[in-house]
Amino acid sequence: MRHGENHKVQHLGWLRAAVLGANDGIISTASLMMGIAAAQTSSHTILLTGIAGLVAGSLSMAAGEYVSVCSQADTEAADIARETYELATQPDAELRELTEIYVARGLDRELAHQVAVKLTAHDALTTHARDELGIVEFLQARPLQAALTSAATFAVGALIPLIVVLLAPESQLLTAIAASSLIALAFLGGLAAKVGGAGVIKGAWRVCSWGAIAMGLTAAVGHLFGVQV
């Protein structure tokens, strides 16, 4: 029976987009709302600001991820097309190139040549994509998946400070938004680290520290330049 394994790297495609979206949703929306709150505006204005930030941020994340990952996909497609052409027009040179790759990885030349011949006969393009270009199936760019994941997780993250505004007293909004957002960021950072196989405490601290800086600076701007509305 084939030995099955579930490696952490298989999650990279959606995990990166999900963490980026949720992290940005919490930090940017909470920071924006704290900046407005520090300017001594009403809770209604703060809530409206947060909703606008959620909608704009979700769409921005989706568009940014889609364009970025499309660029990666275009690059991969161009490299695959070039490799396809070279395999069709220069098969011997490609075989030698593959042999040298395996020699560089530690095989003796005779064995490296045998492996290159066998793998070329089995699936030359996939072999070159993997061993020469570093393109493997579970790491290939998926623009739509990245865009939808980022938009959805941004919206989920942005909902946290919005809910706080609805529930917390107006006099305590700044503290409530900051505290709830930092708790959410710690949970997010720890969860992402656990899924990725890294240290939970380190992941939580990394996300929280940047979130605290962003919220603190934005609140300071709102306090310095805000006016009573």
Side-chain angles (χ1 to χ4, degrees):
M1 294 180 63
R2 183 176 179 180
H3 175 59
E5 293 182 337
N6 184 24
H7 294 290
K8 302 297 184 182
V9 72
Q10 292 175 317
H11 303 303
L12 281 180
W14 64 266
L15 180 61
R16 183 195 64 83
V19 171
L20 178 62
N23 182 71
D24 198 18
I26 296 171
I27 293 178
S28 62
T29 307
S31 296
L32 183 63
M33 294 170 70
M34 287 181 64
I36 297 298
Q40 300 180 5
T41 56
S42 67
S43 59
H44 175 75
T45 301
I46 298 169
L47 181 63
L48 182 60
T49 301
I51 294 173
L54 184 155
V55 175
S58 295
L59 295 176
S60 176
M61 286 294 294
E65 279 291 314
Y66 187 79
V67 171
S68 174
V69 180
C70 272
S71 297
Q72 179 186 340
D74 290 342
T75 301
E76 290 175 353
D79 281 339
I80 292 293
R82 177 179 177 181
E83 205 61 36
T84 301
Y85 173 78
E86 291 177 348
L87 284 168
T89 58
Q90 308 169 46
D92 292 339
E94 289 298 296
L95 182 61
R96 289 194 298 271
E97 184 177 37
L98 199 59
T99 299
E100 293 302 323
I101 290 174
Y102 297 142
V103 169
R105 291 181 181 177
L107 299 181
D108 61 68
R109 188 165 299 278
E110 182 179 355
L111 180 56
H113 178 71
Q114 291 175 359
V115 172
V117 169
K118 288 286 187 180
L119 291 178
T120 298
H122 174 68
D123 190 340
L125 184 58
T126 298
T127 299
H128 278 270
R130 180 187 64 242
D131 294 333
E132 181 183 347
L133 304 176
I135 299 175
V136 293
E137 182 180 357
F138 57 80
L139 292 180
Q140 282 186 299
R142 294 178 174 84
L144 188 58
Q145 180 194 62
L148 293 177
T149 300
S150 291
T153 53
F154 183 99
V156 171
L159 280 174
I160 295 172
L162 285 173
I163 293 173
V164 171
V165 172
L166 292 174
L167 299 178
E170 188 167 338
S171 60
Q172 299 176 11
L173 280 182
L174 271 175
T175 302
I177 293 173
S180 61
S181 297
L182 288 174
I183 291 171
L185 286 171
F187 176 78
L188 172 66
L191 179 62
K194 183 175 178 60
V195 174
V200 173
I201 301 298
K202 181 180 179 180
W205 170 253
R206 184 167 49 200
V207 176
C208 274
S209 58
W210 284 105
I213 292 171
M215 288 185 283
L217 290 177
T218 310
V221 171
H223 179 73
L224 289 173
F225 297 101
V227 294
Q228 183 69 40
V229 177

